[in-house]
Amino acid sequence: EAGVVQSPRYKIIEKKQPVAFWCNPISGHNTLYWYRQNLGQGPELLIRYENEEAVDDSQLPKDRFSAERLKGVDSTLKIQPAELGDSAVYLCASSWPWGVETQYFGPGTRLLVL
Amino acid sequence: GQQVMQIPQYQHVQEGEDFTTYCNSSTTLSNIQWYKQRPGGHPVFLIQLVKSGEVKKQKRLTFQFGEAKKNSSLHITATQTTDVGTYFCACRGGGSNYKLTFGKGTLLTVNP
């Protein structure tokens, strides 16, 4: 079974530039999460999807961040414009929406904003 | 909002020594999960605890959920170099607060 796929793995951009991250969850996982992990910290939830619906986006900085999951499978997280403080690892995770709800994390995208 | 505290932040041990990390929540939890993240890697699910006072074991790892469902611990017996990494607890609130909140983690290093 393939795991959660994310791309790109690394991204370096200058501040004020846009950036986008892509995630393909494990096949059949209805629930998809985007997290941000700063150095030395735990993952912080940005947004959670149940199929196509964003059911929790309370932590998403909506002035510059946006996300979509149009067909209930792949998802894209965008930052526009990026700020220096956005440098972090952006993790995507997926899970079944019932039972133990184990979250399977992708390898993450390491973003550096200069 | 829900506050999650993990201690210690760092722990360095000699191989063969035991290790324990503690997780405390400001609110009563529905359940708690533990994850391990190797250096440069991503979090990997270890276990979920649901019941008050629950104890689960995975080989040398012992997980415990407090009676009040507000704290938990992870104990590793006789650490090995393969145990190196950051251990996170992830707390799920009760009632309408069903979000999973991660602690800051405990970084374990093991000297061979």
Side-chain angles (χ1 to χ4, degrees), chain B:
Chain B
Q2 183 180 75
Q3 303 292 324
V4 177
M5 180 173 291
Q6 264 191 269
I7 54 171
Q9 192 173 359
Y10 309 97
Q11 184 77 61
H12 178 74
V13 299
Q14 289 290 128
E15 190 171 22
E17 292 181 339
D18 293 355
F19 160 77
T20 304
T21 175
Y22 300 90
C23 178
N24 294 286
S25 169
S26 59
T27 60
T28 302
L29 301 172
S30 171
N31 58 62
I32 191 167
Q33 298 180 353
W34 285 91
Y35 289 78
K36 176 183 178 181
Q37 185 172 25
R38 295 182 184 275
H42 55 274
V44 175
F45 175 82
L46 293 177
I47 208 159
Q48 175 169 286
L49 304 172
V50 179
K51 299 177 182 177
S52 169
E54 187 170 17
V55 178
K56 288 188 176 180
K57 293 189 176 184
Q58 289 179 350
K59 297 182 180 179
R60 295 178 294 103
L61 277 62
T62 302
F63 304 83
Q64 188 165 2
F65 204 4
E67 293 290 341
K69 299 184 73 172
K70 295 180 71 173
N71 58 76
S72 180
S73 64
L74 158 59
H75 180 82
I76 302 178
T77 303
T79 55
Q80 300 175 358
T81 55
T82 53
D83 295 326
V84 165
T86 300
Y87 293 85
F88 292 99
C89 63
C91 300
R92 195 183 302 280
S96 60
N97 182 20
Y98 208 63
K99 186 182 339 186
L100 200 64
T101 302
F102 282 78
K104 292 186 176 182
T106 296
L107 173 59
L108 172 66
T109 55
V110 180
N111 198 29

Side-chain angles (χ1 to χ4, degrees), chain A residues 20-96:
Chain A
F21 315 123
W22 176 81
C23 173
N24 181 245
I26 292 174
S27 177
H29 281 192
N30 298 16
T31 308
L32 184 145
Y33 314 78
W34 282 103
Y35 287 90
R36 177 169 57 190
Q37 186 175 25
N38 291 307
L39 192 63
Q41 305 291 315
E44 295 176 309
L45 181 68
L46 293 174
I47 190 167
R48 176 169 68 98
Y49 282 94
E50 296 288 350
N51 299 305
E52 304 88 1
E53 183 182 0
V55 296
D56 184 357
D57 63 355
S58 57
Q59 301 284 84
L60 190 71
K62 297 182 183 65
D63 57 335
R64 297 183 300 107
F65 286 65
S66 64
E68 60 183 15
R69 193 184 184 200
L70 293 175
K71 296 183 179 179
V73 181
D74 295 5
S75 179
T76 303
L77 177 69
K78 297 179 182 178
I79 308 175
Q80 183 170 10
E83 297 179 352
L84 296 177
D86 295 331
S87 295
V89 176
Y90 291 83
L91 294 162
C92 178
S94 68
S95 72
W96 298 105

